Amino acid sequence: MNGAEILVQTLLANGIEVSFANPGTSEMHFVAALDRYKDMRCVLGLFEGVVTGAADGYYRMLERPASTLLHLGPGLGNGLANLHNAKKALSGIVNIVGEHVTTHLRYNSPLQADIEGIARPVSAWVRTATDAASIEPLAVAAIAAASGPPAAISTLVLPGDAAWGNAEFTAMKAPRKSLKPVAADAVDQAARRLKSGEPTLMILAGAALKGVALDFAGRIAGRTGCRIATQFFSARLERGAGRVPLERIPYAVDAAIAMLKPFRHIITVNTAEPIAFFAYPNKPSLLKPEGCEVFELCADGDDASQALTDLADAVGAKAGDRVVQSAGERQRPSGALNPQTIAQAMLATMPEGCILVDESVTTGRESFGVTAGAAPHDNLQNMGGSIGYGTPVSTGAAIACPDRRVLCVVGDGSAMYTLQSLWTQAREELNVTTVVFANRQYQILKNEFGAVGAGRPGANALSMLDIDNPTLDFVSLAKGLGVSGKKVLTAEELCREIDRGLATPGPYLIEVQL
Ligand SMILES: Cc1ncc(C[n+]2csc(CCOP(=O)(O)OP(=O)(O)O)c2C)c(N)n1
């Protein structure tokens, strides 16, 4: 069997069934091998940022890595920003990056690059296959590193001669690690803080935002009166009516400081103490008040469900103590489109089980909290701050969960980074409704201009902050990528079009003119 086939077989034997891909000449044997194994779903992205972001979205929903197929250093480089976001979201991904045939490397041909060097900052594991025989053990190690826990990004570099050379396939299985149990002493220390009577905030992330762990956090809050919150961004949060409600630490530094001011204790679960997204003149980077103690209950890779179950026991919390999110008023808004009516339209229309991918930037920042009262759904956010994550992550989430509806809400500036995602959504007939907030500017950067003390933007600065000239026509852009859509001018129209998008098979785009 050739090395490329061994690689495909090893991926399949270890539960990796999707290859988000954008190949080139050096990967043709791998492409041929993928061609021979129909169990591997091959999903073409027309830009590598789509490929890597889709792998991130897929992992977030299934908690199982997908593979990517990337062309040499430049292909990997194009995918880096969304690999960065995936790394911060603790998503597991196995990158397969083609490399020149070993004997060709000495000639410094046009596409030659330092692939390992490009991969290293985003990868927990990077290796280059030396020959066909090295592929299976390396692939197994790559899969193990990507699977975690904690999950991470692996990059396996595949030279052409390793792919076309022959070796034996032995059906090796990647070893599985378990979550690390949290010691009784740590649980006791957290319980002591919760029982101290002093104001305590528990900040949850990662696995603590789902299922059993979230439920027990809700019991602890109900029993002890502690408050429970997320950071401003979460990789995947189960929210909606009937679930445990979590506060959200605000993005703006002053608002975050004000929210955190009352607390004497912060207990962290799969996250660290709250920090500012950026530094500003005369504002702190660390947001907790003076004298507030931070206690880490769980680190990445620790068993948050066990820790929170044990902690609930330790504070005497029972099922009946669980705090519950009430249903929001599902009234359909009318009139002008603004952050409030848009949020209300989402609250009113989001169906149960919907996957809400949020890259709304300023349009959602202050108002989307009301969607916590929507039907139960998953909320995915950008963990790495590199924009252009929303449409690719939606694509991967839809591949992972074909029976669910994906609603992607995205600023117009952010949408333009990776709009090619729509083409993949059309080709794969994915149920993604994309709502673009067309305010024709990088609004957040206009706000930040003043916030960092840079004064008022003049003509040159505004030429880098406005995106209105020429006007982006998202309905036409979508049409060109194979997706139908509609521009809306009122809240009624927005509700109607979200309904239409969510009810129609395949992708749909709504341009919200602001
Ligand atoms: C890869 C990357 N490039 C640039 C930025 C800086 N940046 C942050 S937000 C933003 C513009 C967002 O515009 P839009 O999506 O239209 O949202 P709005 O601010 O208008 O609400 C830019 C360019 C970034 N975060 N990531």
Side-chain angles (χ1 to χ4, degrees):
M1 195 180 287
N2 74 27
E5 282 182 283
I6 290 173
L7 182 49
V8 177
Q9 289 255 48
T10 308
L11 294 170
L12 285 171
N14 286 282
I16 297 185
E17 294 161 353
V18 177
S19 172
F20 293 104
N22 189 286
T25 303
S26 38
E27 295 85 44
M28 279 304 131
H29 275 87
F30 190 60
V31 171
L34 290 167
D35 205 26
R36 285 196 278 280
Y37 295 93
K38 304 295 174 218
D39 290 345
M40 184 67 82
R41 181 169 181 184
C42 299
V43 179
L44 179 63
L46 298 184
F47 171 67
E48 291 83 351
V50 174
V51 169
T52 54
D56 180 10
Y58 179 92
Y59 182 87
R60 292 199 207 189
M61 295 314 301
L62 285 192
E63 293 170 29
R64 203 167 73 209
S67 58
T68 66
L69 170 53
L70 303 165
H71 184 48
L72 297 151
L76 172 62
N78 276 346
L80 271 196
N82 274 332
L83 286 173
H84 162 86
N85 288 331
K87 176 187 174 182
K88 298 280 185 172
L90 288 190
S91 288
I93 297 175
V94 178
N95 293 316
I96 309 293
V97 183
E99 168 64 294
H100 286 300
V101 171
T102 317
T103 52
H104 196 62
L105 286 172
R106 75 183 74 126
Y107 302 115
N108 192 24
S109 58
L111 272 160
Q112 191 173 327
D114 177 5
I115 300 176
E116 288 199 5
I118 296 168
R120 212 163 279 123
V122 293
S123 307
W125 184 102
V126 186
R127 293 290 297 276
T128 301
T130 47
D131 54 21
S134 71
I135 288 177
E136 189 174 2
L138 285 178
V140 160
I143 294 163
S147 303
I153 295 171
S154 296
T155 302
L156 174 57
V157 184
L158 181 66
D161 46 340
W164 73 46
N166 287 315
E168 214 161 302
F169 173 62
T170 62
M172 285 168 72
K173 287 276 186 209
R176 294 278 147 160
K177 278 205 291 183
S178 314
L179 289 163
K180 212 162 106 225
V182 173
D185 177 55
V187 172
D188 285 350
Q189 289 196 52
R192 219 172 318 128
R193 285 165 169 85
L194 288 166
K195 290 197 269 192
S196 68
E198 295 181 325
T200 301
L201 177 70
M202 197 151 64
I203 308 177
L204 309 174
L209 301 178
K210 295 172 265 211
V212 173
L214 180 57
D215 263 12
F216 277 81
R219 294 183 189 192
I220 294 165
R223 175 73 193 169
T224 66
C226 79
R227 282 164 62 185
I228 44 179
T230 63
Q231 304 281 7
F232 187 74
F233 293 111
S234 301
R236 178 178 155 206
L237 163 63
E238 288 183 355
R239 78 206 268 267
R243 290 204 166 133
V244 171
L246 296 170
E247 297 179 57
R248 189 177 185 192
I249 298 172
Y251 180 88
V253 171
D254 292 339
I257 289 172
M259 179 204 163
L260 296 171
K261 195 163 191 262
F263 296 107
R264 291 278 300 135
H265 301 282
I266 288 175
I267 297 172
T268 61
V269 184
N270 289 344
T271 187
E273 71 172 279
I275 54 167
F277 208 77
F278 289 106
Y280 300 87
N282 307 316
K283 293 192 181 176
S285 292
L286 297 178
L287 303 173
K288 67 175 182 297
E290 231 177 88
C292 176
E293 279 180 26
V294 179
F295 178 74
E296 183 185 64
L297 176 63
C298 263
D300 296 335
D302 288 351
D303 191 341
S305 297
Q306 169 252 320
L308 289 165
T309 311
D310 290 356
L311 184 56
D313 261 359
V315 299
K318 304 274 180 298
D321 294 322
R322 179 178 173 274
V323 289
V324 180
Q325 170 71 52
S326 53
E329 179 74 57
R330 308 267 159 91
Q331 204 180 341
R332 289 176 172 242
S334 59
L337 286 162
N338 55 47
Q340 283 67 37
T341 52
I342 291 169
Q344 184 60 32
M346 289 164 57
L347 164 62
T349 54
M350 276 163 53
E352 183 162 355
C354 165
I355 301 166
L356 173 63
V357 178
D358 184 358
E359 194 171 29
S360 59
V361 197
T362 59
T363 303
R365 185 151 292 174
E366 309 302 333
S367 55
F368 280 14
V370 305
T371 61
H377 62 277
D378 283 300
N379 185 195
L380 277 51
Q381 292 160 346
N382 188 350
M383 298 299 286
S386 175
I387 61 174
Y389 107 104
T391 64
V393 163
S394 299
T395 305
I399 299 253
C401 301
D403 300 330
R404 297 176 64 173
R405 288 279 159 175
V406 180
L407 181 64
C408 173
V409 289
V410 57
D412 50 0
S414 300
M416 286 308 295
Y417 281 67
T418 42
L419 200 68
Q420 303 92 325
S421 306
L422 295 178
W423 182 87
T424 302
Q425 292 170 13
R427 158 185 259 224
E428 300 289 330
E429 299 176 8
L430 303 179
N431 295 324
V432 181
T433 297
T434 302
V435 182
V436 179
F437 301 126
N439 62 8
R440 318 287 180 204
Q441 56 189 327
Y442 290 165
Q443 176 64 54
I444 187 175
L445 298 187
K446 289 190 178 173
N447 304 348
E448 295 289 69
F449 200 90
V452 298
R456 284 166 62 86
N460 243 356
L462 284 174
S463 76
M464 294 180 270
L465 305 176
D466 281 321
I467 57 170
D468 59 340
N469 180 20
T471 305
L472 291 159
D473 177 350
F474 282 92
V475 175
S476 297
L477 287 164
K479 183 162 181 260
L481 293 163
V483 174
S484 57
K486 183 110 178 113
K487 176 145 78 172
V488 298
L489 303 169
T490 66
E492 292 91 328
E493 286 174 342
L494 176 59
C495 290
R496 191 191 62 216
E497 292 307 316
I498 294 178
D499 282 346
R500 187 198 306 273
L502 294 175
T504 315
Y508 192 63
L509 177 133
I510 302 162
E511 177 175 340
V512 172
Q513 187 171 312
L514 289 170

